[in-house]
């Protein structure tokens, strides 16, 4: 009797469950899941909220959803899909803040090549293939790319040859530590603190070792700060500015706040280690060489720096080399303009305008996502040494010098954003206008 009751109860529960399912819009639920998964993968890969929304709407349209609306922030997506008189709202959370240019390129290609009509199953199958792609480069190569980018920064900051070599080792060690900790899902701010501390301590130790073996050497800010510039949250800051220019203020402010907090986390470690060994901030004159050789040095160092950053973001070689060429052209012109007395903010804004225009030209026809070219190309223009000098002045109580330094850095960063926004207004009519006729 008890067995018959259990069977009867199981059948009753199952029939109720099936009845509930029969009342649900199962097809709309599946379509909504495919749409929000697309957005979640794009957001986790580091792109701007505008592109996330664009991709979600494209997928929704291809699935035959009548109307789709969404809200995208740095950490969350809320999306509503309508079909006739019914609708489905879903919320997804994002806890990944890494940048993956290869995944961005794959997702953008999927968006551009969607057929007029598709199914949720087909979308999920495409997303499965994209998500299954691992990192393009092993961990040791990823660390070396960070070292390469920072060593190029050191050259542009007039570091001496042995300082450049130590910067390479220090940045690679810090990126290796950051990668290990991040893969254990440690807090991103704590990860940045640890990585910056590793890089600066390795740099100070390297300079001390060379000084003990050869001669007494100063620890100059040019090399010291260059060793942590791989921690610059360029994607967060630039995508935040682009979102704000699109009047998506909530998403933009979140991204800029996140990027600023990461920068401050790195600055705390940089400042803490600098207390162990005093830094020299004496301005170094550029090498006394012919103008042609100077231009060649700027071009090569800029290209290597951009290449390192692009590869650090898991970019395929085609994207990385294109970004390196664009960054080399723009930054060499900027440095030449500065050498001829042009104001730094004017030279930087024009250089970033050039970056944006050239990136749009190189990405035409959907070859690459524009942002995977423009962000690495402008990172070599960030005034890292000036920022540290402002921090040192602030800690020493020289508030006039600190204020001047902070304003200089702020002006340069704003100039970068103004140049890129102006380029988007010129080259992307879908971005410039809310509706295109």
């Amino acid at each position: 009797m008890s067995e018959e009751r259990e069977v009867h109860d199981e059948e009753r529960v199952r029939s109720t469950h099936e009845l509930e399912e029969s009342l649900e819009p199962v097809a709309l639920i599946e379509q909504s899941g495919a749409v929000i998964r697309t957005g979640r993968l794009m957001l986790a890969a580091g792109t701007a909220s505008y592109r996330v929304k664009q991709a979600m709407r494209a997928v929704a349209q291809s699935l035959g959803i009548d109307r789709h609306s969404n809200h995208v922030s740095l950490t969350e997506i809320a999306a509503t899909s309508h079909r006739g008189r019914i609708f489905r709202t879903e919320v997804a959370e994002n806890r990944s803040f890494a940048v993956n240019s290869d995944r961005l390129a794959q997702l953008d290609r999927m968006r551009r090549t969607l057929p007029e009509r598709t199914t949720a199953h087909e979308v999920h199958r495409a997303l499965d293939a994209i998500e299954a792609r691992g990192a393009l480069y092993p961990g040791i190569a990823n660390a070396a790319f960070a070292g390469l980018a920072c060593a190029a920064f050191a050259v542009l900051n007039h570091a001496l040859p042995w300082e450049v070599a130590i910067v390479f080792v220090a940045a690679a060690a810090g990126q290796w530590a950051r990668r290990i900790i991040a893969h254990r899902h440690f807090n991103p701010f704590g990860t940045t603190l640890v990585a910056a501390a590793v890089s600066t301590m390795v740099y100070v130790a390297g300079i001390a070792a060379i000084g003990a073996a050869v001669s007494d050497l100063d620890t100059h800010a040019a090399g010291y700060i260059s060793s942590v510039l791989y921690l610059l949250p360029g994607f967060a800051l630039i995508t935040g500015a682009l979102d704000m220019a699109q009047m998506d203020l909530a998403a933009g402010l979140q991204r800029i706040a996140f990027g600023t907090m990461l920068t401050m986390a790195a600055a705390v470690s940089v400042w803490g280690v600098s207390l162990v060994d005093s830094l020299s901030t004496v301005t170094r004159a550029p090498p006394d060489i012919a103008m042609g050789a100077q231009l060649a040095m700027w071009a090569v160092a800029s290209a290597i720096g951009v290449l390192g950053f692009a590869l650090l973001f898991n970019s395929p070689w085609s994207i990385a080399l294109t970004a390196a060429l664009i960054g080399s052209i723009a930054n060499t012109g900027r440095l030449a303009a500065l050498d001829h007395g042009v104001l730094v903010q004017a030279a930087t804004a024009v250089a970033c305008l050039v970056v944006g225009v050239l990136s749009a030209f190189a990405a035409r026809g959907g070859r690459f996502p524009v942002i995977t070219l423009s962000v690495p190309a402008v990172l070599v223009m960030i005034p890292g040494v000036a920022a540290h000098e402002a921090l040192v002045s602030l800690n020493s109580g020289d508030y006039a010098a600190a204020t001047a330094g902070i304003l200089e850095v702020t002006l340069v960063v704003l100039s970068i954003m103004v140049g890129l926004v102006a380029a988007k207004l010129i080259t992307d009519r879908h971005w410039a206008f809310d509706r295109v006729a």
Side-chain angles (χ1 to χ4, degrees):
M1 180 67 68
S2 61
E3 291 181 358
E4 291 178 0
R5 183 181 296 110
E6 287 178 4
V7 171
H8 174 72
D9 289 342
E10 183 181 353
E11 290 176 351
R12 181 179 59 79
V13 170
R14 183 183 295 117
S15 64
T16 302
H17 182 66
E18 289 172 354
L19 176 63
E20 289 174 351
E21 281 196 347
S22 69
L23 298 175
E24 291 289 334
V26 177
L28 182 60
I29 291 172
E30 292 175 349
Q31 292 170 340
S32 176
V35 171
I36 203 162
R37 184 186 177 196
T38 301
R40 182 174 55 81
L41 287 178
M42 288 204 73
L43 186 61
T47 194
S49 295
Y50 164 74
R51 289 301 183 194
V52 177
K53 294 179 178 182
Q54 185 183 45
M56 292 173 71
R57 287 170 183 154
V59 172
Q61 182 178 5
S62 183
L63 288 171
I65 292 172
D66 294 339
R67 182 162 54 92
H68 176 81
S69 58
N70 52 56
H71 174 77
V72 179
S73 68
L74 179 65
T75 57
E76 292 177 338
I77 300 175
T80 300
S81 299
H82 296 257
R83 192 182 67 204
R85 298 174 63 184
I86 62 174
F87 64 90
R88 169 82 173 178
T89 297
E90 290 192 55
V91 177
E93 185 179 15
N94 172 50
R95 303 300 300 172
S96 173
F97 307 104
V99 176
N100 190 332
S101 291
D102 178 59
R103 179 168 292 182
L104 282 180
Q106 295 295 324
L107 289 167
D108 190 66
R109 186 173 295 112
M110 186 198 82
R111 173 184 68 85
R112 291 176 179 275
T113 57
L114 281 169
E116 185 177 352
R117 282 291 176 265
T118 187
T119 64
H121 175 72
E122 291 299 320
V123 173
H124 280 300
R125 189 167 67 174
L127 295 177
D128 287 341
I130 293 172
E131 202 167 9
R133 290 171 64 94
L136 297 179
Y137 314 104
I140 189 67
N142 181 262
F145 297 149
L148 195 68
C150 291
F153 253 118
V155 172
L156 294 173
N157 289 330
H158 311 308
L160 301 175
W162 53 84
E163 292 174 333
V164 174
I166 298 174
V167 164
F168 175 86
V169 175
Q175 173 60 15
W176 181 263
R178 179 170 73 159
R179 184 183 176 91
I180 291 174
I181 298 171
H183 283 181
R184 286 164 173 75
H185 306 290
F186 191 57
N187 181 280
F189 303 107
T191 300
T192 302
L193 278 167
V194 172
V198 169
S199 291
T200 49
M201 286 190 293
V202 169
Y203 183 82
V204 169
I207 290 293
I210 292 179
V214 181
S215 61
D216 189 22
L217 298 177
D218 289 333
T219 304
H220 196 275
Y224 182 80
I225 300 303
S226 296
S227 68
V228 298
L229 291 180
Y230 66 94
L231 294 170
L232 285 171
F235 262 84
L237 294 173
I238 291 170
T239 55
L242 294 175
D243 282 337
M244 290 187 69
Q246 270 276 310
M247 298 307 296
D248 192 349
L249 300 181
L253 287 173
Q254 285 185 11
R255 290 175 183 275
I256 290 176
F258 175 71
T260 302
M261 290 175 69
L262 284 182
T263 303
M264 293 305 298
V268 168
S269 282
V270 168
W271 170 73
V273 176
S274 69
L275 297 178
V276 178
D277 186 20
S278 60
L279 297 182
S280 171
T281 57
V282 176
T283 302
R284 284 177 173 170
D288 186 16
I289 57 178
M291 190 59 189
Q294 182 73 77
L295 290 173
M297 185 185 76
W298 286 337
V300 171
S302 298
I304 292 175
V306 174
L307 180 69
F309 275 121
L311 294 173
L312 181 64
F313 296 145
N314 198 46
S315 299
W317 278 96
S318 56
I319 291 179
L321 291 172
T322 304
L325 177 61
I326 293 170
S328 177
I329 293 170
N331 197 48
T332 302
R334 183 184 75 98
L335 293 173
L338 294 178
D339 196 52
H340 285 80
V342 177
L343 292 175
V344 62
Q345 56 267 33
T348 303
V350 172
C352 290
L353 175 63
V354 170
V355 166
V357 172
L358 291 179
S359 297
F361 178 78
R364 68 193 186 283
R367 289 185 64 207
F368 313 120
V370 175
I371 199 167
T372 61
L373 301 175
S374 59
V375 173
V378 302
L379 286 182
V380 291
M381 304 180 193
I382 300 290
V385 174
H388 177 72
E389 290 176 355
L391 183 63
V392 170
S393 299
L394 190 64
N395 289 323
S396 63
D398 190 351
Y399 299 118
T403 302
I406 292 171
L407 288 175
E408 178 187 349
V409 173
T410 303
L411 280 174
V412 173
V413 173
L414 288 175
S415 299
I416 291 173
M417 296 177 178
V418 166
L420 290 179
V421 169
K424 292 293 287 184
L425 293 172
I426 294 171
T427 61
D428 189 345
R429 64 176 184 152
H430 294 281
W431 192 91
F433 296 93
D434 287 337
R435 291 179 176 85
V436 180

